Amino acid sequence: MSRSAHRAYSNITSLKLIYPNWYMLSGVETGTGGVATIKASIEYPVGTITIAMFTGSSTGTTSSLTNLTSDSVNVTIPAGAKFYVRTWLSNASGIIWNNNAAGDPAAGSQDVFAYGGGASDMTAGGNIVSSGSPGLCYFPIAIIGQGSNRAVLSMGDSRALGLADLADYNMRSGIIERAFDLSHAITNVAHSGDWIRDLSSGSLTNIIAILQYFDYVAISIGINDISNGRTANQLITDYNTLVSKVKGNNRVIILTTINPKTTLS
């Protein structure tokens, strides 16, 4: 059971939640092996709950290695406001999570994640007591709404993810999220430890499925390849392959400079 914090970058009147039943393993989308049962709600303002529905039901299910998308949730959230998504997840094969839920320390809050036998369904409200380490949380892979803002999908490794970074007041972390101003809405699917070799050659079916909602794809990756002896020519080939997977017809692809890395302590 989780309660994740988010910020609206334009006025919201309705939104959809997209949940993954998969995780990244060496740059490859990997199924959990079991059916996920999910309940969810939007909390805005604090204490006011709007239940999300899945094909008309308050409970949604999705098979391994797939995404689950909610029905449109009618909720009014003004631009700049912080809101919360409550998510209850059950899967006999195990629970997945994001390992960099940095929250919003400038506003004194952090994502909350309770798991195990004490993780009861609290999507209708109530205080959730975290049972995991700070920085662990399960939340939607994307929150889709109607707005005038351009949408950016961030892909890459730990530097794009913002591993061990502290989110700023606008709840952004990692080098890609911080590079865009607030006229851009951002979803970050970067994963710590990934190589461009694996992203270019592996399956990205579920990420590609949500690309229809994005105007830009920003990619920052390659340091793990270089650190393990791969050549510039190999990286160029892999970048071309990855770009061909995600570019679409009118989507803009942005590639960042690979950050320097020192071997000095």
Side-chain angles (χ1 to χ4, degrees):
M1 179 69 213
S2 67
R3 181 177 183 260
S4 55
H6 308 269
R7 194 173 295 281
Y9 291 103
S10 62
N11 294 323
I12 296 174
T13 55
S14 68
L15 52 78
K16 293 182 179 181
L17 308 173
I18 303 179
Y19 287 98
N21 190 19
W22 52 274
Y23 57 97
M24 297 299 290
L25 180 63
S26 299
V28 178
E29 294 177 0
T30 304
T32 62
V35 174
T37 301
I38 295 173
K39 295 183 178 181
S41 63
I42 307 298
E43 183 177 352
Y44 181 82
V46 172
T48 299
I49 304 295
T50 303
I51 299 296
M53 307 297 280
F54 300 89
T55 320
S57 172
S58 61
T59 301
T61 60
T62 186
S63 57
S64 178
L65 200 55
T66 61
N67 294 329
L68 175 67
T69 303
S70 75
D71 301 340
S72 292
V73 182
N74 295 322
V75 59
T76 301
I77 304 173
K82 181 170 63 178
F83 64 97
Y84 297 88
V85 176
R86 289 173 173 257
T87 305
W88 180 80
L89 167 68
S90 178
N91 188 332
S93 295
I95 301 298
I96 56 177
W97 63 83
N98 183 299
N99 68 349
N100 194 50
D104 187 0
S109 68
Q110 189 173 41
D111 297 341
V112 179
F113 186 39
Y115 56 85
S120 57
D121 174 14
M122 301 184 73
T123 53
N127 183 49
I128 304 168
V129 178
S130 182
S131 56
S133 302
L136 302 182
C137 197
Y138 176 75
F139 47 77
I141 189 175
I143 299 174
I144 306 302
Q146 297 294 326
S148 58
N149 293 43
R150 293 288 188 177
V152 181
L153 184 74
S154 169
M155 298 180 67
D157 52 32
S158 59
R159 300 186 182 198
L161 173 65
L163 184 66
D165 192 3
L166 288 177
D168 61 21
Y169 182 82
N170 293 304
M171 308 186 70
R172 294 191 170 184
S173 60
I175 61 174
I176 291 178
E177 291 188 28
R178 294 179 184 275
F180 286 89
D181 63 27
L182 300 186
S183 67
H184 296 82
I186 300 180
T187 291
N188 197 336
V189 296
H191 182 258
S192 179
D194 276 357
W195 296 27
I196 181 66
R197 176 198 65 188
D198 299 324
L199 276 183
S200 65
S201 62
S203 171
L204 299 176
T205 302
N206 289 289
I207 291 176
I208 290 172
I210 67 173
L211 285 177
Q212 60 182 303
Y213 302 111
F214 295 93
D215 304 289
Y216 302 94
V217 176
I219 304 170
S220 179
I221 195 170
I223 189 66
N224 295 316
D225 297 77
I226 292 173
S227 298
N228 286 276
R230 302 193 72 231
T231 67
N233 284 339
Q234 288 175 315
L235 267 67
I236 291 170
T237 297
D238 292 340
Y239 262 109
N240 286 332
T241 300
L242 179 59
V243 167
S244 70
K245 284 184 175 183
V246 301
K247 66 179 181 181
N249 292 328
N250 298 307
R251 195 171 300 115
V252 177
I253 307 299
I254 301 170
L255 305 180
T256 72
T257 300
I258 297 176
N259 298 110
K261 178 181 179 181
T262 179
T263 57
L264 300 177
S265 59

